[in-house]
Amino acid sequence: MRISTVTNGLKWQSKLTTPNDPQHVESSTACDVLTVMFDGACPLCRREIGLYQSLTPLENVAWLDVSEATANLTPADQARYMARFHVRQKDGRLLSGAAAFVTLWLAMPGWRWLGRFSRLPGITPLLELAYRGFLHLRPTLQRWMRAT
């Protein structure tokens, strides 16, 4: 069962808890969950994140739409997080780009195989190059998606 709640701009998704469970995700801190930081103002990003959110994660995941004022970010942090995909690991380490996607894929059923494959030597750097190429195309793709 998947439980989703929104607290201080974070949409929490818990694997197998209920609101009456003492380990319910609302009692978790950001250090206890994988935190996915995404640009909810980007239609392309929203669509992809929506796909991941429709799954029951293999571990607790918090979803933070960094485009929202409720994210409580400084303007500099908000710009940085909106420019690239970021994930904060349970240990507090912040990853971006391909490394962030690999970490997310490892937590998602149906995507874990891709996360494992991506950890093979040389694969994540290739994915990072592809992601950087995508970032150059992203504004054009966003305009096309908004027009449809």
Side-chain angles (χ1 to χ4, degrees):
M1 175 170 54
R2 184 182 64 210
I3 306 295
S4 295
T5 58
V6 178
T7 307
N8 293 332
L10 287 175
K11 181 177 180 181
W12 299 94
Q13 203 168 47
S14 180
K15 195 169 115 185
L16 290 170
T17 62
T18 64
N20 296 329
D21 187 331
Q23 294 183 349
H24 182 61
V25 73
E26 286 184 78
S27 65
S28 297
T29 64
C31 295
D32 294 337
V33 297
L34 181 71
T35 304
V36 176
M37 299 175 221
F38 66 97
D39 179 1
C42 164
L44 195 61
C45 305
R46 259 193 333 265
R47 184 173 290 175
E48 182 174 6
I49 292 299
L51 173 77
Y52 298 130
Q53 288 176 328
S54 72
L55 303 172
T56 301
L58 302 171
E59 61 184 84
N60 291 340
V61 174
W63 305 94
L64 178 61
D65 180 348
V66 297
S67 69
E68 295 286 328
T70 56
N72 296 322
L73 298 170
T74 66
D77 283 343
Q78 184 179 40
R80 180 172 56 127
Y81 292 141
M82 287 178 70
R84 288 177 58 91
F85 179 69
H86 288 78
V87 166
R88 183 172 307 281
Q89 293 182 307
K90 291 178 184 181
D91 65 6
R93 286 186 300 149
L94 186 66
L95 302 174
S96 72
F101 278 105
V102 170
T103 300
L104 175 60
W105 294 335
L106 288 168
M108 292 290 134
W111 292 86
R112 195 168 202 169
W113 70 270
L114 184 56
R116 288 179 176 155
F117 172 77
S118 300
R119 290 193 311 187
L120 292 174
I123 302 298
T124 301
L126 289 175
L127 290 173
E128 179 62 28
L129 287 173
Y131 181 69
R132 289 180 185 185
F134 161 77
L135 290 177
H136 291 292
L137 299 173
R138 182 178 163 196
T140 302
L141 295 172
Q142 287 175 326
R143 281 193 297 276
W144 287 350
M145 288 194 73
R146 286 186 179 119
T148 59

